[in-house]
């Protein structure tokens, strides 16, 4: 029973971190949109087939 409770708590912790991180991304994106900042990412293309 104790092991099951620990697993449930771990899953809830990870889900909470996931949802808070998503909300943080939306906040940062909206702040950048208000300032008009643009980010250009250049990918070297390493890794794939």
């Amino acid at each position: 029973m104790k092991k099951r409770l620990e697993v449930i708590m771990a899953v809830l912790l990870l889900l909470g971190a996931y949802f808070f991180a998503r909300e943080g991304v939306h906040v940062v994106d909206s702040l950048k949109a208000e300032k008009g900042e643009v980010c250009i990412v250049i990918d070297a293309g390493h890794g794939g087939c």
Side-chain angles (χ1 to χ4, degrees):
M1 183 69 177
K2 183 178 178 182
K3 181 70 171 177
R4 180 179 285 181
L5 182 61
E6 290 175 354
V7 170
I8 291 171
M9 288 173 44
V11 169
L12 288 175
L13 178 68
L14 292 174
L15 284 173
Y18 171 76
F19 286 115
F20 282 124
R22 284 186 55 143
E23 185 64 28
V25 168
H26 291 299
V27 170
V28 170
D29 280 344
S30 65
L31 291 175
K32 284 186 178 180
E34 289 175 3
K35 292 181 180 178
E37 294 180 15
V38 176
C39 177
I40 299 174
V41 178
I42 299 174
D43 185 9
H46 298 299
C49 298

